[in-house]
Amino acid sequence: MTIPPNPSHVAVDPRATAPSQTGRARAATLWRAGTAASATAVLAGTLYAAGTGRFDRIPLLDPVLAVTVEALAALALVGSWMSRQRRWLTVLLPAVVALSTAVTAIVAALLRLTGTVTDAYPASFALWVGMALAALISLPVVVTRAGALRRWAAGTAVPLTLSGALLLMNNEYGVWPTAGDLLGRTEAVNAQVLNTQVLNTHALNAHTLNGKALNGRTLSGGKALDSGVRDDRMPNPPPGMLPPARGILVALDPPAVSSHFAHRPGSAYLPPAYFTPARTELPVIVMLPGTPGGTMQWPTSGKATATADAYAAAHHGRAPILVFVDPNGSATADTECVDGPQGNAETYLTVDVPAFVTAALRIPHVASRWAVAGFSAGGTCAVDLALRHPNTFRHFVDLAGDICPNLGNRAQTRVALFGGSWGAMEDHDPLRLLRTRRYEGVTGWFAAGVEDVGKLRVSRRLAAAASRRGLIVHEFTGVAGHNWQFASYAFGRVLPELSGDLGLR
């Protein structure tokens, strides 16, 4: 009789029943390498597409896009935190939440104490900044301790929460209408492109709009060097050539000859009539952004060029020339357009910019045909510049500006803006200027958004004071709050009547 072998005594080859540890390690390594390669390829493709302008027309002010990204961000973040591990629930997760909350509070306090942010903002901003910080802080913890699904959720939660925070703030203030605006790409052309592609090398000759002439010559003292043009007029388009159907945004960088003010380049909108004999009759509006902000916010967020194009289309190509210049020197600086420790912004805007614009664009400077307009801090600047320099700007537009130049409180303002001088601070107080001078023939516009209660009070107070001192005052309440949605609406409402005040009929 054959006795069957005892199963416990039978040798079992582990390779026959389960994958070897080496095989598992190799598979895991290959999976991680494939994942990394795929992620790298996706990132490289995204960066290439962004760099070549494929995303430029994606609208960033679409509420549906914002809600979708925010919902996905919340799901990814919560999904990356889903675990039953006791240490995660009782120690690590509370630490992540506490640390992200603390960092958010510290950042908010620093922004307020340094005067970088002085206006109130929605509480949802802090929530989403905190969520983005929590996603960043928890990422290394989750990646080293969790499974594949949670790792993927943690990895996607970071860009999604950052994007959600960005879209939330952008929808509130309307800073970047499209992805191209966010990436800093605009439709502004330089003088050479304007010369060769639009005017067939005749209209601008060797004159420049950005500090360098087309034939290599430069501007000196704000005047274009001669290059074949024997009079003070820019030549008109050759016979048979029509002016462009729409205005053109041109790169413009007025040198700080007198002020030595460190500034960023700007641009200018030239309406179709600029390229006709009517050029010298066109008025000029110098347009100032708020803080934080840049020179391209009016053309993009404020839709100023589109508004001017619409006006020009209804007025035979005639519209004001819009000059977008930098009053601050950087995105977060705030000079309030005064000469002081932060630079001679006032001299730059009232001396250097007008001198360069009149010389480079070959247009006369007539105060009654020049205006200055601004939003937020730019609106504060507009009032102050016009009241202090009525021989430079006879018209101003104050959209949601402050009662006077300030950086949070009077003590901080006196030191940071005026080098500690009480006299200089008083000399830039619009209410004081209006009490001590009369402004016959000066036109002032005051407006704020219906939801911007504090700035509405300021607007009405300044308008009342101005109306008692000889100014022609226009006042209205616009849509929305303290954001670019209001600014773009307000400029569209102001432009037709302001253009009439500037001499366009």
Side-chain angles (χ1 to χ4, degrees):
M1 176 173 145
T2 304
I3 300 175
N6 188 336
S8 63
H9 296 159
V10 177
V12 178
D13 185 353
R15 291 173 298 180
T17 60
S20 68
Q21 293 297 323
T22 302
R24 288 179 179 176
R26 185 180 297 113
T29 300
L30 289 175
W31 184 86
R32 285 195 293 268
T35 302
S38 299
T40 302
V42 170
L43 178 61
T46 302
L47 292 175
Y48 173 79
T52 54
R54 304 296 175 87
F55 299 153
D56 284 3
R57 296 190 180 277
I58 295 177
L60 298 185
L61 295 178
D62 184 352
V64 175
L65 173 65
V67 170
T68 301
V69 171
E70 290 161 8
L72 291 174
L75 287 172
L77 183 60
V78 172
S80 70
W81 289 352
M82 295 295 288
S83 174
R84 296 180 180 179
Q85 294 180 3
R86 188 177 188 83
R87 178 173 170 77
W88 168 256
L89 293 174
T90 60
V91 178
L92 296 178
L93 181 57
V96 167
V97 174
L99 182 58
S100 58
T101 301
V103 172
T104 301
I106 291 170
V107 170
L110 288 174
L111 290 174
R112 185 71 65 182
L113 291 172
T114 58
T116 304
V117 175
T118 57
D119 294 319
Y121 52 82
S124 55
F125 284 15
L127 173 64
W128 275 92
V129 169
M131 288 175 62
L133 286 171
L136 283 167
I137 294 169
S138 63
L139 178 63
V141 180
V142 174
V143 166
T144 57
R145 292 172 174 268
L149 186 59
R150 285 184 62 203
R151 290 201 300 267
W152 271 103
T156 56
V158 173
L160 284 173
T161 52
L162 289 170
S163 299
L166 175 67
L167 289 171
L168 176 72
M169 296 177 187
N170 192 51
N171 272 280
E172 177 69 23
Y173 295 120
V175 177
W176 298 291
T178 67
D181 300 323
L182 174 62
L183 297 172
R185 273 192 291 274
T186 70
E187 296 180 356
V189 300
N190 60 32
Q192 187 167 1
V193 172
L194 183 67
N195 191 23
T196 58
Q197 293 186 4
V198 180
L199 300 180
N200 293 340
T201 73
H202 289 285
L204 292 184
N205 279 349
H207 298 297
T208 180
L209 300 179
N210 60 7
K212 294 182 180 179
L214 302 189
N215 293 337
R217 299 176 182 269
T218 60
L219 292 179
S220 176
K223 295 181 179 180
L225 298 177
D226 179 72
S227 60
V229 180
R230 300 302 177 187
D231 61 17
D232 243 5
R233 297 171 301 167
M234 267 187 168
N236 294 311
M241 182 180 178
L242 296 174
R246 298 171 56 191
I248 297 170
L249 192 63
V250 187
L252 182 88
D253 188 11
V257 176
S258 298
S259 64
H260 307 289
F261 178 64
H263 61 280
R264 295 165 291 176
S267 58
Y269 165 85
L270 307 179
Y274 176 83
F275 307 101
T276 73
R279 178 184 59 251
T280 57
E281 302 171 6
L282 297 177
V284 174
I285 306 176
V286 175
M287 311 214 42
L288 306 175
T291 300
T295 57
M296 284 309 300
Q297 283 193 294
W298 266 116
T300 56
S301 310
K303 301 182 175 129
T305 52
T307 299
D309 264 342
Y311 179 88
H315 293 81
H316 310 289
R318 292 159 58 89
I321 294 168
L322 306 182
V323 176
F324 309 103
V325 289
D326 178 24
N328 292 316
S330 72
T332 56
D334 189 359
T335 69
E336 298 285 303
C337 302
V338 306
D339 288 349
Q342 299 190 52
N344 296 325
E346 185 173 3
T347 300
Y348 178 68
L349 295 168
T350 59
V351 177
D352 291 329
V353 169
F356 182 81
V357 168
T358 54
L361 299 184
R362 296 297 174 122
I363 55 176
H365 179 270
V366 180
S368 61
R369 297 213 299 263
W370 277 58
V372 56
F375 166 57
S376 191
T380 311
C381 289
V383 176
D384 225 33
L385 292 173
L387 295 183
R388 285 177 52 79
H389 304 275
N391 291 329
T392 302
F393 304 109
R394 198 63 57 83
H395 312 274
F396 66 85
V397 180
D398 171 14
L399 301 178
D402 284 319
I403 196 71
C404 63
N406 77 88
L407 293 180
N409 60 64
R410 288 180 64 81
Q412 185 176 0
T413 298
R414 180 170 59 87
V415 173
L417 288 183
F418 302 103
S421 170
W422 282 107
M425 187 164 73
E426 290 295 311
D427 288 343
H428 288 80
D429 183 347
L431 291 176
R432 181 181 180 277
L433 292 170
L434 289 167
R435 284 195 303 268
T436 57
R437 306 181 190 179
R438 288 196 63 83
Y439 293 92
E440 306 294 342
V442 175
T443 300
W445 291 79
F446 299 93
V450 65
E451 300 170 12
D452 196 1
V453 178
K455 294 300 189 290
L456 267 177
R457 287 196 295 265
V458 169
S459 175
R460 290 166 181 166
R461 185 179 176 188
L462 284 173
S467 64
R468 293 191 293 267
R469 305 305 297 177
L471 283 85
I472 302 169
V473 173
H474 306 270
E475 181 189 358
F476 66 90
T477 300
V479 300
H482 197 80
N483 50 39
W484 281 101
Q485 290 91 327
F486 156 73
S488 61
Y489 160 84
F491 184 65
R493 179 165 172 174
V494 165
L495 185 61
E497 193 165 351
L498 176 60
S499 296
D501 292 342
L502 290 166
L504 286 181
R505 295 288 188 268

